[in-house]
């Protein structure tokens, strides 16, 4: 029997691409087992990350801040500034942002703690009026007493006071954050060269890292601009309606604008409750209406168009990422949910040309828009798409051209 006949007679060998993953010694794992192992690895990694959330949160926050302000260094260098001067300006810019945010939050919490006790009597009267109304509908007094005790504004003041007492404990984390920012700012000078070295052997990894940095900057820019607009309009509206601490609620609206989907609700609840205490249900409805109109026009109609183009994530994925990162890292994870998801997407999907199906599932773009969009090699183009275009039979751009793009 000839060699060709032997090859025809022998049964086909299952390939690792279709039936499982090869271990390198001829053993092929079933794909179901591979999936289970992957899920188990994700659970173990998530448990480990949650145990050191106190470290991951500040480190990633520092990384995002440096990425956001990194173009400052490049522009100063292009204008002829020496390297040390451009690095110094970048470090001062990062420090200014961190100190401004910290001072704004601390001052807002302090004003809130000193103002809330003034409305303790109004809150008790309001709760008593609501209790009497509910009693008429057959609600038992014992249940109402439990509700009244849970809605005591004095307990809320105690909680705020404890938060202020814990601010001193944040000093060590702040020092750690500022020190880490300094190191990252200095290392930022060599990042382009390092990414270029990675691109020599791993062009997909380099492209994914560049895409992550670019998309993160675009997201932060859009969220900051629209957050300032929403905060300014909310502050003006609250000031006109006579709501106390209008500036504080404006700062809260700006910070919660970085929290996708539910940030609007978080920023609305405190001023709405304060409006109920100061002006009654009518004023509370007015505050809710103003916030609702501003949220619908700015945060629901305008901002998603720009954020979607910068991020490329569907609404469902955005919401699920918010829930996951908030559970994993706490409140800071909710604020950094989109950048964290972009990093996970870059490391798990964009570097693997076989994961284009996953990119199609989490993308916000529909199929028709994807068909109409011209193929381009820019920074916003998909990394997996660039891999396929580089490896198509006809002549196309070389790896060096893609890296330069």
């Amino acid at each position: 029997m000839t060699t060709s006949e032997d090859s025809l007679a022998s049964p086909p060998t299952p390939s690792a691409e279709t039936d499982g993953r090869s271990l390198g010694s001829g053993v092929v794992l079933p794909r179901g087992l591979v999936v289970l192992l992957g899920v188990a690895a994700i659970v173990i990694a998530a448990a480990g990350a949650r145990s050191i959330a106190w470290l991951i949160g500040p480190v990633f926050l520092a990384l995002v801040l440096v990425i956001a302000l990194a173009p400052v260094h490049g522009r100063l260098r292009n204008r002829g500034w020496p390297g040390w001067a451009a690095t110094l300006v970048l470090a001062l810019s990062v420090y200014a942002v961190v100190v401004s945010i910290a001072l704004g939050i601390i001052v807002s919490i302090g004003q809130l703690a000193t103002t809330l006790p003034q409305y303790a009597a109004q809150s008790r009267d309001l709760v008593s009026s609501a209790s009497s109304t509910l009693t008429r509908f057959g609600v038992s007094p014992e249940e109402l007493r439990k509700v009244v005790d849970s809605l005591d504004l004095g307990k809320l003041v105690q909680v705020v006071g404890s938060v202020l007492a814990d601010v001193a404990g944040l000093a060590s984390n702040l020092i750690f954050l500022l020190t880490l920012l300094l190191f990252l700012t200095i290392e930022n000078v060599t990042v382009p060269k390092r990414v270029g070295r990675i691109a020599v052997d791993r062009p997909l990894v380099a492209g994914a890292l560049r895409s992550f940095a670019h998309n993160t900057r675009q997201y932060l820019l859009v969220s900051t601009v629209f957050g300032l607009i929403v905060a300014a309009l909310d502050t003006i509206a609250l000031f006109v309606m006579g709501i106390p601490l209008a500036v504080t609620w404006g700062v809260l609206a700006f910070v919660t604008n970085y929290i996708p989907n539910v940030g609007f609700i978080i920023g609305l609840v405190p001023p709405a409750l304060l409006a109920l205490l100061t002006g009654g249900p009518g004023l509370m409805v007015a505050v809710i209406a103003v916030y609702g109109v501003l949220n619908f026009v700015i945060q629901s109609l305008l901002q998603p168009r720009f954020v979607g183009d910068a991020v490329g994530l569907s609404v469902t994925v955005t919401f699920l990422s918010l829930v996951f990162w908030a559970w994993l890292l706490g409140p800071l994870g909710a604020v950094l949910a989109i950048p964290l998801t972009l990093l996970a997407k870059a490391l798990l999907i964009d570097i693997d040309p076989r994961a284009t199906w996953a990119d199609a599932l989490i993308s916000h773009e529909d199929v028709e828009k994807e068909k109409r969009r011209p193929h381009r090699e820019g920074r916003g183009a998909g990394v997996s798409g660039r891999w396929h275009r580089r490896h198509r039979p006809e002549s196309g751009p070389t790896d060096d051209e893609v890296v330069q793009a």
Side-chain angles (χ1 to χ4, degrees), residues 298-372:
I298 297 177
Q299 295 179 320
S300 298
L301 295 181
L302 298 179
Q303 183 174 345
R305 297 178 179 271
F306 296 92
V307 173
D309 293 337
V311 174
L313 299 176
S314 65
V315 179
T316 303
V317 173
T318 301
F319 176 74
L320 293 178
S321 66
L322 166 67
V323 175
F324 174 77
W325 293 114
W327 167 80
L328 191 66
L329 302 179
L332 190 57
V335 177
L336 299 175
I338 297 299
L340 284 166
T341 305
L342 290 177
L343 179 61
K345 176 178 177 292
L347 298 180
L348 299 178
I349 297 178
D350 291 345
I351 65 175
D352 189 357
R354 295 170 298 182
T356 53
W357 61 270
D359 193 15
L361 289 177
I362 67 175
S363 175
H364 78 287
E365 297 177 345
D366 54 21
V367 178
E368 295 300 327
K369 184 177 179 181
E370 184 70 20
K371 291 180 179 179
R372 293 194 301 267

Side-chain angles (χ1 to χ4, degrees), residues 48-62 173 176-177 180 328-329 332 336:
R50 193 177 185 185
S51 64
I52 58 172
W54 60 271
L55 177 63
I56 297 178
V59 168
F60 192 78
L61 175 61
N173 291 336
F176 168 74
L177 179 62
L180 182 62
L328 191 66
L329 302 179
L332 190 57
L336 299 175

Side-chain angles (χ1 to χ4, degrees), residues 78-161:
N78 293 334
R79 294 183 179 181
W81 285 50
W84 66 268
T87 303
L88 178 61
V89 172
L90 177 59
L92 293 177
S93 301
V94 174
Y95 283 165
V97 172
V98 173
V99 172
S100 299
I101 295 176
L103 288 178
I105 294 176
I106 292 175
V107 171
S108 299
I109 294 177
Q111 292 178 348
L112 183 63
T114 56
T115 304
L116 280 181
Q118 303 176 8
Y119 299 94
Q122 291 90 327
S123 66
R124 287 191 295 268
D125 295 340
L126 181 63
V127 172
S128 300
S129 177
S131 300
S132 61
T133 302
L134 292 176
T135 305
R136 299 173 185 175
F137 290 94
V139 181
S140 62
E142 292 77 10
E143 296 295 332
L144 290 176
R145 190 175 297 107
K146 295 179 181 179
V147 175
V148 170
D149 294 337
S150 62
L151 294 178
D152 187 5
L153 191 61
K155 295 183 178 180
L156 180 59
V157 175
Q158 295 177 2
V159 172
V160 175

